[in-house]
Amino acid sequence: MNAIAKGPSRRRRKRSRHPFAGQPRNRRESLLNPRSIAGRVFLIEILIVVLLVAAGVISVVLQAARDALQHGRRESVVAAQAFAGAPGVAEALRSPNPTAVLQPRAEAARKKVGVDFIVVMDTNGIRYTYPYPEEIGKKFVGTIQPSLEGRTTVEEAGGPPLPAGRGTAVQAVVPVTDAGGEVVGLVSAGITVRNVARLWVPQLPITLGTGAAALALAAGGTVLVSRRLQRETHGLGPAEITRMYEHHDAVLHAVREGVLITDDGRLLLANDEAKRLLNLPVDVEGRHVRELDLPVEITRMLASGEAVTDEVYVVEGRLLAVNKRPTFPHRARGGSVVTLRDTTELAVVSGRAKAARWRLDLLYESGVRIGTKLDVVSTAQDLAQVAVPRFADVVTVDLLDAVLEGDEPTAEKWRQLRRAAISGEQQALPLYPVGEKVPLYPATPQMRALERGLAVLEADLRHARAWQEQNPVRTRGALELGVHSLVSVPLQARGVPLGVANFYRMGDSPAFEQEDLSFSEELAARAAVAIDNARRFTREHTMAVTLQRSLLPRGQPEQDALAVAWRYLPAEAGVGGDWFDLIALPGGRVALVIGDVVGHGLHAAATMGRLRTAVQNLSALDLPVDEALGYLDDLVVRMDDEERTGEATEAHEGQWVTGATCLYAIYDPIAGACTAARAGHPDLVVVHPDGTVTCADVPASPPLGLGGYPFETRELHLPEDSRLVLYTDGLVQDRTRDIDVGLTGLRRTLERAGAERTPEETCQAVVDAMVPRHPSDDIALLIARTRMFPPPGVAEWDVQPDPAAVASVRAHCREKLREWKEEEIEFNTELIISELVTNAIRYGSPPIRVRLLHGRSLTCEVSDGSSVSPRLRRAATTDEGGRGLFLVAQHAQRWGTRYTSGGKVIWAEQPLGGGPSTAEASTPAEVLFEQFDDPVL
């Protein structure tokens, strides 16, 4: 009876110890009750265990099946390779009846090694062997092309019936080679998937049994853990636990009072407010109150078990109202809860602390918002918007014109600023609008602020005479609308004033005070640094853009081969090294060049100028495109060497390394051919006359500056009215767009533009569709429409290597010039042709050919098979020759030599329409003929 009576009493005592216990719960409550935390945890853990065990069993089964399949693949390969390499197989394939020799051997090998089939076939896939003779002579089912190239093929495929049954088989196909390495046949060996499955199916019962055992063990552990959790949580549900936590958190942190919980003089818990009021250390929990160095009265009160009501204690100058109650009032011994409230805080102190806090918040916000863009006007507008309405009702920012233009500001221009930004209720105020000049007088608050370098306060604008006299009409209107207080703050960086910021208050807002000056100066100082950074960036950006635009083409050269349009768009964040050029070459040809220098800024722009100058000089030599890129590559390598030895230090090693890409193409309007090569640059795009868009597939070569790598070329034959599209990577690639996506968009844009638009219209369509709103990289675009040289303007003759043939060539030339109505240059042309043909006959080698091109100018070309180039020299009076090229140079506007794969071409160009040559002969014709010693002429 005593034992029975003590049992319930003991259970009730344990339950009453929990301070947050609600209604009594039945401890033997089922674990499957989803309303309790223990029940939910049990169900979730059981579900997780089942999923994990199922996933483990499935993964083991799949791995076993995969291993069996791999085993089948290996056996197939080994069997096929062994039979293909067996002695006599290659000879049997060349025999008159391979089936008679190989069928018994194949069946014997199949049964010996345990595969389902071994098939021998010829190089066309016709079977020589098969387990069923009726399938011999038919086409093999599978892939044989890689094996014909000497590789082994492993695949899964279906085929005719097999002794193991019909179905998919794992088969390997290997080549059979003779002694010389030639593939004379193929051998395929394989195992059906059904037989492969037999390798892993016996493992399935063991795997399932292991999984069931693991599931049982995990479930038992889950039951134990859930029961333990049920005892610890007293069967409470999540909502009750959450409510208990919220009550606990509200007591500790939500109230503005300090809370202490003690038990027999030991501190169990102290919230943040109690630690602040009593200056307690962080690790105070668990220590005895006598170890905390508190005042004697506080220590005695905390250690005693007596209740306290609204007693006042002095702790470090604070008056604390203390209340203390026992945690378990029905027990003889137990803990206590102590609350502390600070009664010394005053409203004035709270107000000042709040004001200081919002000022710090505003300064932090200004640091985040001001200067996010490297633009002077945007930065000034950020300053104006940050200060309204928390510090001022209206803000204006006035800057020097030099600052807006990116130049260095000077004090001589202080008397006239320009309104850069306004924020607030400016619509109702008679203020100077943005962009208008704001004159300043000596006594105005703005001028005083600029001269002193400090903020100037006008607490009551009704008494600010200098401010009113600056513009009586505007200031009178502002006063009538309620503007009453002003703080003018100079914007200065590095000790140099940039402008002034004006903070106005109006209406019911309190007037500015002296303590507002330091805050306004701090706010303006942060903005001034950002404005100066934007100013210097604007200056550098303007200089780089100016330099780069001065180095880019100003206009198109005179030529008949192409109709051209281009665009150059600099990046917002800085100028890069994108460049392009269009160069007229002899023979009516035109060179198109586009490139990109790695990096941004003045260094990239200067490097671009050097490369463009080098390309123009190389084009004057009339080099093939691959040789021109080779010389350009050498130049970039030398530039890198100069930078390393001249400017680079160990701390800045590699900073000025030059890297560049380039695409160089030459279009010949007579042959309708375009020869191109590229060094790390995006491919050339061709728009055909029917509107189809294709890539030229110019072979990709390494970028310029690596040195020692060859450059491959590609020759395209283009019909008339084709379009060549050259561009830099900034058009098709940026931070948010991959280059493949950009190229697809460019093709679609060109297809939509069609073949009817002019290059200028197509260029604009591409820019509108492809250029982002804020480009992060330079963009260069060049579009050229091809033209064919009119056949009536071309005349060609073959010349026999005989000096007597010069007269006939001269006669043909004379007839052609009269047909073209160019009798004015008949004499000079005959003279030039005679000299060039004579030199080719004397010093060159066959074949010799003459060509006249009649376009904007008349070009005479004489080609021969020799690679020896003539040179201009001044002959002495005793020399018998050497004056011919001198005459050519005197009568032609320009002349030169270009080399071909079969020799060289000497050309001379004369202007048409009565234009003068480069050097008009001052010597009479008779004197020239006396110096011209060719008896043939």
Side-chain angles (χ1 to χ4, degrees), residues 320 323 466 665 701 823:
L320 302 181
N323 288 273
S701 300
E823 292 85 355

Side-chain angles (χ1 to χ4, degrees), residues 358-414:
W358 73 257
R359 287 182 179 178
L360 290 175
D361 292 342
L362 186 56
L363 287 177
Y364 172 77
E365 184 179 351
S366 67
V368 173
R369 291 179 55 182
I370 298 176
T372 56
K373 297 180 181 179
L374 290 174
D375 181 74
V376 174
V377 176
S378 298
T379 305
Q381 189 64 36
D382 291 340
L383 169 61
Q385 292 176 350
V386 164
V388 175
R390 287 187 287 178
F391 181 69
D393 296 315
V394 177
V395 178
T396 63
V397 180
D398 304 329
L399 300 176
L400 295 170
D401 285 338
V403 176
L404 294 171
E405 296 170 359
D407 298 332
E408 195 72 26
T410 58
E412 290 77 6
K413 299 182 179 180
W414 286 2

Side-chain angles (χ1 to χ4, degrees), residues 219-220 280 335 383 387 429 438 491 532 573:
L280 297 176
L383 169 61
L429 296 178
V438 180
L491 299 171
D532 189 57

